[in-house]
Amino acid sequence: MPVFELYHGEISTCSQKVRITLAEKGQAWTSHHLDLRKAEQHRPEYLKLNANGVVPTLMVDGVPIIESSVIIQYLDELIPEPPLRPSDPLGLANMRLWMKRLDEEIHPLTGVLSSSIAFRFEDGHEEQIKTMINPAKRARKMESFLKGVESDLFRKALAGYDKLLGDMEKVIAADGYLAGGVYSLADISYIAYAARLHHLGLQGLFEDRPGLTKWYATIAARPAVKAAIDDFAPDHSLELMSSHGADSWPRIKAILGELRSEGSVAMAS
Ligand SMILES: N[C@@H](CCC(=O)N[C@@H](CS)C(=O)NCC(=O)O)C(=O)O
């Protein structure tokens, strides 16, 4: 087996996906932790490994692999047991579709929710923006830091998540898992983001979604998931997210109510 080294962030959702997969596959790895608040991911020596200036990067015998979804598929192909994918082509296609949606749509929304609710109150957040490589991401961060849950961006992120959770509920209530009726890389990917919602005090989004609620409880309790998420989350980050989450929940709940009634009006017309 190759030697694995992981450049990662302790509460980064993309890093959590890779740590879960490594744990599910029973692999040991060497940790290179980057402090994202100190913009360590933007340092020139790290940019040589990952030109996007983001975590995670998995080093395999000294060769970097970037992009969390690519990394976890690589690991599942390299180490076939236990399999973390459906065996039928349709299930596999659905697994990839969920992962694509996460990368393209949901990941940016998650940054908006987290920054608007909690990270805007953290020391040193300005430092991280200055050196950010991706201009669109920098603009989103700036707006979230300045306007918090009152920004238009936040409304859109909340609406996007509410739609996502509704879509997840339909599939999970019928099949138990996101793709092919088995625990897969799709569930591993989404559990990291579902945990973020819980950390931010957004459990209310799971109300009236019993399939999703059960799915979350079952998967979050897996030893590999606990080891990859809970064991790395520092108390001060959890406290930052839960305290600001609790403060803003009444306002968020009101915005959610508005969004849902706008949505149902749009559907009826
Ligand atoms: N598509 C990339 C996204 C990576 C990403 O955005 N990582 C975040 C943490 S989850 C990061 O490093 N943020 C710090 C920054 O953008 O400066 C992946 O899945 O690996």
Side-chain angles (χ1 to χ4, degrees):
M1 196 55 67
V3 173
F4 297 120
E5 295 169 68
L6 183 64
Y7 288 82
H8 63 128
E10 44 202 7
I11 57 159
S12 129
T13 45
C14 316
S15 303
Q16 289 165 345
K17 287 160 63 178
V18 178
R19 294 197 301 254
I20 297 171
T21 307
L22 284 163
E24 294 287 8
K25 298 284 183 183
Q27 294 302 308
W29 49 280
T30 301
S31 168
H32 299 286
H33 181 255
L34 300 186
D35 188 337
L36 304 189
R37 307 295 155 233
K38 293 193 181 140
E40 288 180 353
Q41 72 282 18
H42 302 154
R43 291 191 177 157
E45 58 276 22
Y46 181 67
L47 294 179
K48 286 183 196 149
L49 306 179
N50 185 329
N52 299 329
V54 291
V55 287
T57 300
L58 181 71
M59 304 295 290
V60 180
D61 283 339
V63 177
I65 305 184
I66 64 168
E67 286 296 325
S68 58
S69 294
V70 173
I71 298 172
I72 62 179
Q73 292 190 70
Y74 160 82
L75 287 170
D76 194 39
E77 274 153 23
L78 180 76
I79 310 154
E81 292 299 325
L84 296 173
R85 63 178 61 203
S87 53
D88 64 303
L90 183 60
L92 202 49
N94 283 327
M95 180 189 93
R96 292 189 175 124
L97 267 179
W98 281 110
M99 292 170 73
K100 184 168 152 56
R101 181 172 180 185
L102 189 78
D103 287 340
E104 291 176 1
E105 179 199 343
I106 303 303
H107 178 68
L109 303 186
T110 313
V112 172
L113 292 187
S114 305
S115 300
S116 306
I117 296 174
F119 297 158
R120 66 197 291 252
F121 297 104
E122 197 176 32
D123 292 340
H125 58 258
E126 297 91 350
E127 199 48 44
Q128 203 198 335
I129 291 187
K130 269 190 256 163
T131 49
M132 234 166 199
I133 312 262
N134 179 328
K137 208 163 157 179
R138 196 165 56 230
R140 281 200 304 269
K141 268 261 186 290
M142 191 62 93
E143 183 170 339
S144 304
F145 284 160
L146 291 175
K147 299 192 187 155
V149 301
E150 299 306 332
S151 78
D152 205 34
L153 214 52
F154 181 81
R155 268 185 110 79
K156 287 191 180 129
L158 192 61
Y161 251 106
D162 199 36
K163 167 86 173 70
L164 168 80
L165 297 180
D167 292 346
M168 288 174 75
E169 172 66 20
K170 280 183 212 140
V171 176
I172 291 171
D175 295 345
Y177 295 99
L178 282 171
V182 295
Y183 176 61
S184 77
L185 296 177
D187 302 289
I188 288 177
S189 301
Y190 279 86
I191 196 69
Y193 291 74
R196 172 60 58 87
L197 296 181
H198 279 76
H199 291 157
L200 289 167
L202 296 173
Q203 289 86 340
L205 290 172
F206 288 67
E207 251 169 42
D208 301 327
R209 290 175 171 151
L212 193 62
T213 302
K214 186 168 168 228
W215 169 90
Y216 180 75
T218 309
I219 296 179
R222 291 180 72 89
V225 176
K226 283 164 87 88
I229 298 183
D230 302 350
D231 294 0
F232 282 89
D235 289 344
H236 66 89
S237 299
L238 293 175
E239 168 57 24
L240 180 88
M241 291 190 277
S242 69
S243 64
H244 291 291
D247 288 349
S248 40
W249 175 246
R251 178 65 189 131
I252 295 173
K253 197 173 172 189
I255 298 173
L256 189 64
E258 288 166 21
L259 290 168
R260 285 180 179 171
S261 60
E262 283 163 19
S264 48
V265 170
M267 271 161 70
S269 60

